[in-house]
Amino acid sequence: MPGMVVFGRRWGIASDDLVFPGFVELFFRVLWWIGTMILFTYHKGHFDCNGRGVLHTFLVGQLVVLALIILSLCAIIYVSAQGTITNPGPRRSMPVLVYLRAVLYLPELAWACMGAVWVSDDSRGCDPATVGSVIAAVVASWFILLFTALGVLFVFDPLGNPRPQPAAAEPLGVRHMESSEGTQFLSTARSLAVKVWESRLRLLCCCLPQDENQRAAFSSIAQLFTGFFSDTDLVPSDIAAGLALLHQEHDKMERSRDPDMVVPHSPSSPGEDLETELEKAAHCMQFAAAAYGWPLYIYSNLLTGPCKLSRDCCGSRGAEYEIVGGDHLGCHFSSILQSTGLQYRDFIHVSFHNQIYEIPFYVALDHKREAVLVAVRGTLSLKDVLTDLSAECENLPIEGVSGACYAHKGICQAAGYIYKKLVNDGILNQAFSIAPEYKLVITGHSLGAGTASVLAVLLRNSFPTLQCYSFSPPGGLLSKALADYSKDFVVSVVLGKDLVPRLSIPNMEDLKRRILKIVSNCNKPKYRILLQGCWYELFGGDPDDFPTEMDNRREEELSQPLLGEESLLVRHSSSYHSLASDDSPAHAATHLPLFLPGRVLHITEDGPSRRSCFSTVRYRADWSNEMNFRSILISPRMLTDHMPDVLLRALNSLTCERPYSLCPSHTSVVP
């Protein structure tokens, strides 16, 4: 940080990012130089074969070029390791070294061509080992040149063109682009950024059919990404270093916490109903997990799953149930039968149709709980990801709810799609005509949990007794008014440090603020932060006590936007302002706050956070408050805690009153 500026543009890599790639290339170059020197010394400079002059020149030139490259790499590694993330001053000479290294590609290319010509025309009669060595050198040269070209494409920043800089006399943090020229530049830059993100999304989703929903989703997501990334000059390695620092800082805070301290929980639900809700949640989670179809079933049953499904797939039972969408071999439906234990006749409607804002679901009769059960599938396709990322707010007016009513746009659209199917197509009427005394239960996991919660809000007035069990729902889902309204009929279940229930635009802004603050205060070089962070993640130990520059800088300096001059768009940034104290007026939400739905049941693990593979795991469950999920917790388990099979195992272990032994892929529950 900031992004390195060479060849007249900013790149997606910083001047302190060349330590590791430089060291890797240096290792191979040194071995290459030693091998070439051994070959040259073995022949003592005299070769008894055709083209001996060309071969002699090639080897001598190879030694010289490799020696120059090795010297340049040593200089690059040394300079790149200097300074800190926000102090690039000691690395001022890095652009010159990059230019020098780029120039050395020209003689290397020439010598690779010379070696190729010698092998094809003048290598007759030469020692096979010598010919093989030259061929290896030529192939290695072309491989490195190709790898370098791919690296350049990888770090190329389409938005890195030179841009006008603010006047030096203008103080940081108080710049306003109020002139017509400044306003025009800002508008042009934003428009360019949106177009770039739309192009990236189209390239990523090139296999999807083009339709109006996709274009609208691309535009919405591009606007979101532009607004989030445009006010910082962070490169990916800066973010990785910041996440490593935040994880260790959080672990230090947890270890220093008083073990007898009681975590406050929401009194929204009496303690005596906890066991009952856990049993209902464990039962509903089976249906929510089953909605993922055969991929999750095979993943959860690696030894027996394929054999069980192979007996049922390709069966022709189309007349016994109604299936919409693609399930060509019937494996999805067969896995649902295996997971839920229901019969064919218990299913009213099964839809595997999947488009943007249109996600699979099924409706079945749950005779054990006497319920008409609607289960919505979570994210399992690129189209679902686009639905997830359409995260701006959309109005969701509900009769009888006072206050602002809005929710996640993509999930609102998905819930509206299922609502129309259930109500307008008469699916619920058909179900209740078969079992009129049953109650309505809606469930889902992840994206399916958010959709199920919004769907429950939409159906609440028509079905006053309905219940919804939402497993690992997205954090940025409902406005405060709707979240409070849903407490009467929605139960959200969250496991450990799961990222998704803490994921919202305000929370991401808060994470960006914390990353900026911690990397700006740390006075260790980035390569040391990343090395020690990787060691800590893999092998544990005590969190590193990274020193800061706080003692060497005035406190008021830390409230200034350290990266302001190098921002992609020169404008006020909530992230920079929030480097000040948290109670600063500048620390104000720039996005509408969204919350988890309903009452929140938080499952955590008793015992140490790190344990052996086959150690015993014990869980505890408590009612929590949605405000406890207003910050993203950095942990290796923040993603695996979200897996539906892991959550199902935790619920089963709680309801069966027995611990579960989990191995690395399942050790995702946190204290």
Side-chain angles (χ1 to χ4, degrees), residues 76-95:
I76 287 174
I77 294 171
Y78 175 78
V79 174
S80 183
Q82 305 305 305
T84 63
I85 295 178
T86 53
N87 180 25
R91 303 189 296 271
R92 288 187 299 268
S93 58
M94 184 57 69

Side-chain angles (χ1 to χ4, degrees), residues 227-371:
F228 185 75
F229 290 108
S230 63
D231 62 348
T232 67
D233 199 9
L234 296 172
V235 297
S237 60
D238 298 330
I239 299 174
L243 293 176
L245 292 171
L246 286 175
H247 179 211
Q248 295 182 62
E249 181 186 65
H250 179 75
D251 282 359
K252 284 189 293 185
M253 293 174 60
E254 280 195 340
R255 295 185 184 191
S256 62
R257 183 181 300 164
D258 184 356
D260 297 327
M261 183 180 66
V262 178
V263 179
H265 294 289
S266 170
S268 58
S269 181
E272 54 268 18
D273 73 344
L274 180 60
E275 184 177 348
T276 302
E277 292 293 0
L278 278 173
E279 292 178 355
K280 293 180 180 178
H283 179 75
C284 288
M285 184 60 201
Q286 296 179 7
F287 294 91
Y292 283 97
W294 68 262
L296 181 62
Y297 182 79
I298 295 294
Y299 173 75
S300 303
N301 304 273
L302 291 176
L303 298 179
T304 61
C307 295
K308 290 181 178 179
L309 286 186
S310 62
R311 296 196 301 264
D312 298 329
C313 291
C314 305
S316 57
R317 297 186 175 91
E320 299 184 37
Y321 51 87
E322 180 184 0
I323 284 188
V324 178
D327 186 20
H328 304 296
L329 300 178
C331 292
H332 279 309
F333 188 71
S334 297
S335 68
I336 292 176
L337 291 174
Q338 293 284 350
S339 300
T340 60
L342 299 180
Q343 303 297 318
Y344 295 99
R345 61 178 178 271
D346 296 328
F347 288 85
I348 306 300
H349 182 84
V350 181
S351 172
F352 297 107
H353 172 75
N354 191 200
Q355 292 293 334
I356 299 175
Y357 306 144
E358 300 174 4
I359 57 180
F361 70 98
Y362 65 87
V363 180
L365 299 178
D366 178 14
H367 301 295
K368 182 178 180 180
R369 296 285 180 175
E370 296 187 345

Side-chain angles (χ1 to χ4, degrees), residues 100 150 154 161 206 220 232 252 363 488:
L100 175 62
L150 292 176
F154 182 77
N161 287 328
C206 58
S220 171
T232 67
K252 284 189 293 185
V363 180
D488 292 334

Side-chain angles (χ1 to χ4, degrees), residues 12 126 150 182 297 344 367 374 391 394 420 481 483 521 544 628 651 666:
C126 288
L150 292 176
Y297 182 79
Y344 295 99
H367 301 295
V374 180
E394 180 173 283
K420 293 176 182 177
N521 289 340
D544 192 17
N628 294 333
L651 284 167
H666 298 133

Side-chain angles (χ1 to χ4, degrees), residues 186-197:
L186 181 60
S187 175
T188 303
R190 283 176 173 166
S191 176
L192 175 61
V194 170
K195 290 180 180 179
V196 167
W197 278 108

